[in-house]
Amino acid sequence: MCGIVGCIGQQNLIPFLLESLEKLEYRGYDSAGIAVHNGDNIEIYKAQGKLENLKNLLNDTFKNDKNLKSGIGHIRWATHGAPNQINAHPHSSFEEKVSIVHNGIIENYKELKKELTEKGFEFKSQTDTEVIAHLLEDCIKDENNYSNAIRTALKKLDGAYALGIIFKDNPEILYAARKCAPLILGVGEDSNFIASDVPALLDYTKRVIYLEDNQIAVIKGSSYQIMDIDGNILDKKPEILPWEPVTISKMGYKHFMLKEIHEQPDVIRQTLFDKLHTVSDPLVLKEVKLTKETLEQLDRIQIIACGTSLHAALVGKYLIEEFTGIPVDVEASSEYIYKRTVISKNSITIGVSQSGETADTLTAIRQAKDNGSHVLVITNRPDSTMARQADSMIPVNAGFEVSVAATKSYSAQLMAFYLLAIYLAEVKNTLSEEYIEDLKKELIQLPQKIEMILSNKDKIQDCAVKFHNTKNFIYIARGINYPVALEGALKLKEISYINATGYPAGELKHGPIAMLDETIPVLAILVPGKVYEKVLSNSEESKARNANMIAVTSEDNEHLEAVFDYIITIPRTNEVFSPILTTIPLQLLAYYIAEFLGKDIDQPRNLAKSVTVE
Ligand code: G6P
């Protein structure tokens, strides 16, 4: 949610700012802006809309100016104030002595705005951020040094911030500060950098320091100092990132989402690679640091997540309960954090987050941890704030996901839950060895089965052609595929803006069935197993109300043909593994419908991939 970057001492300052902002576009794309110090003044350029608009605003001479001292950049996901040019960052103080970029939300901005307005500061934007710029200018008047002024100002702020700050009268220093929003200091040879996330820096340096809450960085071209909010100097050494620069390429696919959907077989192979050695050996989850004693006594699990990760968590609940009998509660992080935190004695808390930075989930796991729970995080970012705060982790190895709508990270999260549920069953001895071996054999075959779905997309495309103008879509399933119905509906909503809702199939008759007529498609997920017949009869009930019926199924028989107008077939698998397969056609259906509608698939309106505000 909003991305910030900054740099000092770099000759190619503008190329750095623009290239690094491009790597952060997943965090927001409402507007973009930069501020650069030319030695005398701060110049600011901002544009509404995508980063491309900002790039087009800057002429080549300026882009290649080698004499610029320092600069900060921002890519916005609007919270306070419409996504227009005035509200775009950077924001400057009244006398233009300070320019800042900000990620986060200042909760007491109204009170501060009132105080500052009374002192004569005039506000130009509707943002919460602008108060920080004026506040800094106000504090410089009373303080004899810049970092003291910053510390004084920060102490007045309630809320979350990652900040990049430059001062007109102090061109040799870039300042940065962090509280409850990610921020990294990149250490180069004769230049230093800041960024909200690692991919922005990898082309420039692999030496980074993850700033922690209430830390301030005072950064020059060839040195830096980190202090706490009280001014104590901290000894923080850079760590070397093990990653290569991230190449953002669609590899011939029309959209990143389509590429990422097609990467899922390999993502699953990669997830299994170092954890499942042979079907007869126990699984190896080396980052799970639960003691044998804790595992033996474990009698309750709570899982906290948001969005697509929440849907993966619901599948996880089903699996863990099915394989181990341990009761599992799943809750949206945003709900969890505003009620009493109840941690039972022999329980653990699992946080699921592809980014590892989602504000609600981060707060939730902190609360669980503060209340004595062991926190295990399932994340695609082992370097994230969540992973750093957790006691244990299951890294999901999905690779960098560019498309805002999560696909491969979701499949990788599901895999993490399969592995965890089997791991718990092995430790707690809740399933027979033979059954566990069968499960592992089936797991290994999943990538190939996904490849079969991906190589036969005609039916899915037919459905997309037929239904792309539909206003409402209903997804139904039962049991372990119910969360898949929720996820399929979410995917469609996110990228096509069609109203889509997932229901437990048995709930249709308790209300939603009233909506059904020939204008509404009902997509039913039905695979052989405990609930097949039940979903089939719920589908018949829908058919009887003239709904257009679509099946995602591994069956192909006359009975189905009588009920469904479209049958999308997937390979057969054990019912417990079916979510990995049933998800794929739903991702593709959402993709093709959005494509027919000409939507901005990789960057849907109003969304961001990493949501760092509560
Ligand atoms: C945003 C994204 C979703 C994602 C959710 C949770 O809303 O657009 O795709 O599922 O955040 O993110 P997390 O990183 O915690 O999984």
Side-chain angles (χ1 to χ4, degrees), residues 306-309 353-355 358 404 406 494 608-609 611:
C306 301
T308 291
S309 299
S353 173
Q354 62 84 20
S355 65
T358 301
V404 166
E494 284 178 313
K609 191 155 190 68
V611 182

Side-chain angles (χ1 to χ4, degrees), residues 78-246:
T79 57
H80 296 65
N84 56 28
Q85 206 212 11
I86 291 176
N87 290 330
H89 299 216
H91 288 285
S92 294
S93 58
F94 186 46
E95 290 178 18
E96 301 190 340
K97 291 193 168 167
V98 190
S99 289
I100 62 163
V101 285
H102 169 220
N103 167 214
I105 288 182
I106 303 306
E107 286 162 7
N108 59 338
Y109 84 99
K110 283 193 179 139
E111 295 90 303
L112 291 170
K113 189 169 181 174
K114 189 163 172 279
E115 276 173 34
L116 289 160
T117 308
E118 281 163 10
K119 284 186 175 181
F121 287 89
E122 282 175 26
F123 282 75
K124 291 188 187 131
S125 75
Q126 288 90 49
T127 64
D128 54 334
T129 300
E130 198 182 343
V131 296
I132 311 174
H134 296 309
L135 186 61
L136 283 165
E137 188 169 280
D138 194 34
C139 291
I140 304 167
K141 287 181 189 151
D142 302 332
E143 294 284 355
N144 52 4
N145 97 17
Y146 288 92
S147 42
N148 284 358
I150 292 174
R151 291 190 299 101
T152 308
L154 295 184
K155 284 183 180 175
K156 296 190 176 179
L157 301 178
D158 291 339
Y161 52 77
L163 287 170
I165 308 166
I166 51 176
F167 292 97
K168 177 172 175 273
D169 299 331
N170 185 12
E172 305 301 332
I173 304 185
L174 161 71
Y175 295 87
R178 163 194 166 136
K179 186 182 166 201
C180 298
L183 191 58
I184 302 154
L185 168 65
V187 181
E189 289 301 323
D190 297 312
S191 50
N192 290 314
F193 313 88
I194 55 166
S196 297
D197 196 3
V198 165
L201 298 184
L202 279 176
D203 280 331
Y204 294 84
T205 183
K206 288 189 180 179
R207 297 170 68 214
V208 302
I209 294 175
Y210 290 86
L211 293 179
E212 286 165 39
D213 285 351
N214 298 310
Q215 291 184 347
I216 299 157
V218 180
I219 312 161
K220 296 183 181 172
S222 48
S223 66
Y224 62 87
Q225 201 171 49
I226 296 172
M227 62 181 70
D228 66 17
I229 194 105
D230 295 317
N232 302 307
I233 305 301
L234 306 170
D235 183 21
K236 286 186 75 117
K237 300 268 181 295
E239 46 189 282
I240 313 289
L241 295 171
W243 304 309
E244 292 308 312
V246 179

Side-chain angles (χ1 to χ4, degrees), residues 305-336:
C306 301
T308 291
S309 299
L310 182 64
H311 298 153
L314 288 167
V315 176
K317 166 185 166 71
Y318 187 100
L319 288 171
I320 296 169
E321 289 183 347
E322 187 71 17
F323 290 178
T324 69
I326 300 171
V328 180
D329 304 306
V330 178
E331 197 149 11
S333 315
S334 51
E335 290 300 311
Y336 182 88

Side-chain angles (χ1 to χ4, degrees), residues 477-599:
R478 284 178 179 231
I480 196 164
N481 275 298
Y482 164 52
V484 180
L486 297 179
E487 176 59 12
L490 180 67
K491 283 288 91 77
L492 187 63
K493 275 186 281 216
E494 284 178 313
I495 60 171
S496 74
Y497 320 142
I498 292 173
N499 178 30
T501 314
Y503 293 105
E507 282 295 301
L508 258 194
K509 57 187 170 295
H510 297 293
I513 202 166
M515 294 189 297
L516 296 190
D517 61 21
E518 61 289 344
T519 66
I520 298 194
V522 173
L523 184 148
I525 305 170
L526 61 177
V527 296
K530 284 184 191 160
V531 293
Y532 177 85
E533 294 298 338
K534 294 289 174 213
V535 180
L536 188 54
S537 22
N538 298 138
S539 302
E540 287 188 15
E541 290 154 16
S542 305
K543 175 82 178 168
R545 272 80 187 176
N546 294 327
N548 282 292
M549 300 303 298
I550 308 165
V552 171
T553 179
S554 51
E555 295 299 276
D556 194 0
N557 58 46
E558 282 175 8
H559 194 165
L560 286 180
E561 278 165 20
V563 178
F564 291 96
D565 305 293
Y566 292 85
I567 298 178
I568 299 167
T569 38
I570 55 165
R572 273 183 170 247
T573 183
N574 182 327
E575 188 186 18
V576 289
F577 292 119
S578 60
I580 286 275
L581 302 185
T582 54
T583 295
I584 311 293
L586 305 199
Q587 294 172 342
L588 287 167
L589 181 63
Y591 173 82
Y592 287 121
I593 288 179
E595 199 205 353
F596 274 114
L597 294 172
K599 300 297 183 200

Side-chain angles (χ1 to χ4, degrees), residues 184-420:
I184 302 154
L185 168 65
V187 181
E189 289 301 323
D190 297 312
S191 50
N192 290 314
F193 313 88
I194 55 166
S196 297
D197 196 3
V198 165
L201 298 184
L202 279 176
D203 280 331
Y204 294 84
T205 183
K206 288 189 180 179
R207 297 170 68 214
V208 302
I209 294 175
Y210 290 86
L211 293 179
E212 286 165 39
D213 285 351
N214 298 310
Q215 291 184 347
I216 299 157
V218 180
I219 312 161
K220 296 183 181 172
S222 48
S223 66
Y224 62 87
Q225 201 171 49
I226 296 172
M227 62 181 70
D228 66 17
I229 194 105
D230 295 317
N232 302 307
I233 305 301
L234 306 170
D235 183 21
K236 286 186 75 117
K237 300 268 181 295
E239 46 189 282
I240 313 289
L241 295 171
W243 304 309
E244 292 308 312
V246 179
T247 315
I248 299 188
S249 158
K250 292 185 191 141
M251 306 291 281
Y253 288 98
K254 192 168 174 193
H255 295 97
F256 282 107
M257 183 179 177
L258 192 59
K259 169 180 166 251
E260 286 157 6
I261 289 173
H262 281 81
E263 282 172 349
Q264 291 175 108
D266 283 341
V267 164
I268 289 174
R269 287 188 186 104
Q270 185 63 29
T271 305
L272 293 175
F273 170 71
D274 58 343
K275 303 182 180 74
L276 172 56
H277 297 148
T278 70
V279 291
S280 48
D281 288 327
L283 289 174
V284 181
L285 299 184
K286 60 178 189 301
E287 289 92 350
V288 173
K289 309 273 188 240
L290 290 159
T291 60
K292 197 163 179 284
E293 193 191 356
T294 309
L295 282 166
E296 274 164 8
Q297 290 171 356
L298 183 64
D299 61 8
R300 196 159 199 105
I301 294 175
Q302 59 176 354
I303 315 182
I304 321 163
C306 301
T308 291
S309 299
L310 182 64
H311 298 153
L314 288 167
V315 176
K317 166 185 166 71
Y318 187 100
L319 288 171
I320 296 169
E321 289 183 347
E322 187 71 17
F323 290 178
T324 69
I326 300 171
V328 180
D329 304 306
V330 178
E331 197 149 11
S333 315
S334 51
E335 290 300 311
Y336 182 88
I337 56 184
Y338 290 108
K339 36 180 230 178
R340 183 170 161 181
T341 309
V342 184
I343 305 286
S344 62
K345 190 160 165 267
N346 297 316
S347 71
I348 62 163
T349 303
I350 301 178
V352 193
S353 173
Q354 62 84 20
S355 65
E357 301 291 348
T358 301
D360 287 321
T361 308
L362 200 49
T363 308
I365 65 165
R366 278 187 190 133
Q367 278 178 212
K369 204 171 162 163
D370 289 349
N371 281 274
S373 183
H374 179 106
V375 170
L376 185 157
V377 163
I378 294 177
T379 182
N380 197 28
R381 291 296 301 269
D383 62 320
S384 60
T385 311
M386 250 180 248
R388 286 164 178 271
Q389 295 190 355
D391 302 297
S392 287
M393 178 170 54
I394 304 183
V396 300
N397 306 330
F400 194 57
E401 193 175 58
V402 177
S403 171
V404 166
T407 53
K408 62 175 181 170
S409 62
Y410 169 74
S411 291
Q413 288 168 347
L414 291 188
M415 289 305 291
F417 275 115
Y418 285 112
L419 294 167
L420 179 64

